[in-house]
Amino acid sequence: MVQFADRVNRVNPSAVREIFKLMADPEIISFGGGSPANESFEPDIIKEITAELLTKQPDLMLQYGTTEGWTPLRDAYIEHIAKPKGLAFDRGNIITTTGSTQGISLSIDAFVNEGDTVLVESPTFLATLMVFAKVNANVVAVDMDEDGMRTDDLAAKLEATGARLIYTIPTFQNPTGRTLSLERRKDVAKLAALHGAVVIEDDPYCDLRYSGEALPPIKSFDDADNVIMLNSFSKIVSPGLRVGTVAASAEIIPKLTVAKQCSDTHTAILPQAICAEYLNRGLLPGHLKSTAPMYKERLDTMLACIEKYLPAEAEYTRPDGGVFIWLTMPDGFDAQELLVTATQKYKVAFVPGAPFHADPADGKNTLRLNFSGATPDKIEEGMQRLSKAFAAQL
Ligand SMILES: Cc1ncc(COP(=O)(O)O)c(C=O)c1O
């Protein structure tokens, strides 16, 4: 028998990753992941960019690189992603990461000691909860409503706990699809400054908007320089490339860089260079514009199916973008039990809501549905199957 360290013993396997394994069954229709549509990928463009990079700069592509990241990508991020959001950064404000997952992990490495209290939305991204579990943080949940995290509750909990870190997903939140309102974005920055707390603003879905007006990031109200903003190419170009970015003050970036040196030295150069070239060719705005109607159709189809097929007592969010809808059933309903029937008998998958809660005893009556990964036909069929699973349970 081997003896594991406490830090891995504390972490349970991700409920989403476990559901990914079910995907090996071709009959399953999955609303379980958080994946972009396969139909959104542009393999021909990626192939052409890759061939050009390997032809023109083979040594640079195949050699080790710097921990801070591929310089043309940091510059392209500043120009093509940050600037259109009204943000001005220098290269010293940016490092690239191996997906935003690593940005979360490095930020937690840099700011959370064992036992520290951290504040998160309730519910929140379960992979972040896993990282907090690994470092043995005391996770305190802040209430949400349709406008995202409730900043009155945030203020009260900052006051009561002395927490020094706030983790938020402000736009089309995972798992709820909710978006933090403009006023609350300002409030989060203000409260963090007042309490000397760091904010991790994890915003991988901000560019997947299908209706309504874009909102400025919390980072744009960050007069105190304590917001760490994470963006990712996963949902807008490809998750398999594993490229994300961190934007933070010139004081914070070097510490994250040291933490990254302990983790993976640097993010793979070729995927970073592909993302840089993609941005520099000006391809992103057109891609977002052309994929939005497809995603909107999927979102609208799923909302219509919830209305048509699911129990009338189900409450659900109606997001303007992103990839998730959050469903709440009356107290006493068990979404984990529904998952067993749904996957085994009706071949349809989703993620039960409990693992997205700081206290997994909460949210048993909730579930997350992903609408981006399946075609409208599959959504229609999958939701009919799900309605049968609901009927069997109720
Ligand atoms: C809120 C949130 N943050 C981070 C990530 C991780 O993204 P990446 O693929 O960039 O690691 C996800 C992916 O689902 C997410 O939903």
Side-chain angles (χ1 to χ4, degrees), residues 44-332:
D44 291 341
I45 291 175
I46 305 295
K47 212 187 302 173
E48 187 205 314
I49 292 176
T50 306
E52 188 176 303
L53 289 166
L54 286 170
T55 307
K56 290 192 177 158
Q57 310 177 69
D59 294 349
L60 287 175
M61 290 304 109
L62 300 174
Q63 195 48 275
Y64 280 115
T66 61
T67 306
E68 289 83 353
W70 178 243
T71 306
L73 176 60
R74 293 158 74 202
D75 292 348
Y77 169 81
I78 291 169
E79 184 62 29
H80 299 288
I81 294 188
K83 205 163 148 192
K85 298 185 200 311
L87 296 166
F89 294 124
D90 295 325
R91 223 180 256 167
N93 298 124
I94 312 297
I95 58 166
T96 63
T97 50
T98 305
S100 277
T101 304
Q102 188 179 46
I104 295 166
S105 194
L106 300 179
S107 304
I108 291 172
D109 278 348
F111 286 100
V112 183
N113 286 318
E114 186 160 342
D116 280 359
T117 296
V118 297
L119 301 179
V120 303
E121 287 144 357
S122 178
T124 190
F125 180 38
L126 63 85
T128 303
L129 289 176
M130 290 169 72
V131 184
F132 282 135
K134 198 174 102 180
V135 301
N136 212 9
N138 172 36
V139 182
V140 173
V142 178
D143 290 342
M144 285 185 103
D145 62 20
E146 288 314 305
D147 287 330
M149 179 162 51
R150 275 184 37 203
T151 42
D152 57 340
D153 195 41
L154 176 68
K157 283 177 175 153
L158 279 166
E159 193 68 49
T161 64
R164 290 297 199 76
L165 187 126
I166 303 162
Y167 172 76
T168 176
I169 308 156
T171 323
F172 313 132
Q173 197 237 17
N174 183 359
T176 63
R178 290 173 183 145
T179 291
L180 191 67
S181 69
L182 178 61
E183 276 316 303
R184 289 189 183 174
R185 286 170 190 244
K186 293 178 186 167
D187 286 350
V188 171
K190 229 183 284 170
L191 286 167
L194 184 67
H195 291 269
V198 164
V199 178
I200 302 178
E201 179 179 25
D202 184 13
D203 215 6
Y205 302 103
C206 61
D207 291 319
L208 297 182
R209 177 176 281 279
Y210 322 130
S211 55
E213 290 297 308
L215 291 172
I218 299 168
K219 182 74 186 157
S220 55
F221 307 111
D222 180 26
D223 298 333
D225 253 357
N226 48 7
V227 177
I228 301 172
M229 186 174 74
L230 311 181
N231 294 112
S232 173
F233 288 87
S234 287
K235 316 294 172 170
I236 54 175
V237 178
S238 151
L241 293 178
R242 307 303 306 128
V243 181
T245 51
V246 180
S249 74
E251 186 189 1
I252 292 177
I253 290 293
K255 284 286 187 226
L256 301 184
T257 307
V258 171
K260 183 167 166 69
Q261 280 163 3
C262 302
S263 168
D264 66 352
T265 313
H266 67 78
T267 295
I269 304 293
L270 188 56
Q272 292 190 71
I274 292 169
C275 292
E277 185 60 22
Y278 189 89
L279 293 180
N280 287 331
R281 288 187 183 190
L283 295 171
L284 186 62
H287 179 61
L288 294 174
K289 212 168 155 193
S290 68
T291 50
M294 171 186 70
Y295 283 131
K296 178 150 180 38
E297 187 187 6
R298 293 177 184 201
L299 166 63
D300 290 344
T301 305
M302 188 167 271
L303 289 171
C305 287
I306 294 175
E307 201 56 40
K308 246 191 306 185
Y309 302 125
L310 297 198
E313 57 269 44
E315 289 177 9
Y316 54 95
T317 56
R318 292 172 182 78
D320 285 326
V323 301
F324 301 118
I325 295 171
W326 182 247
L327 208 104
T328 305
M329 290 294 289
D331 283 343

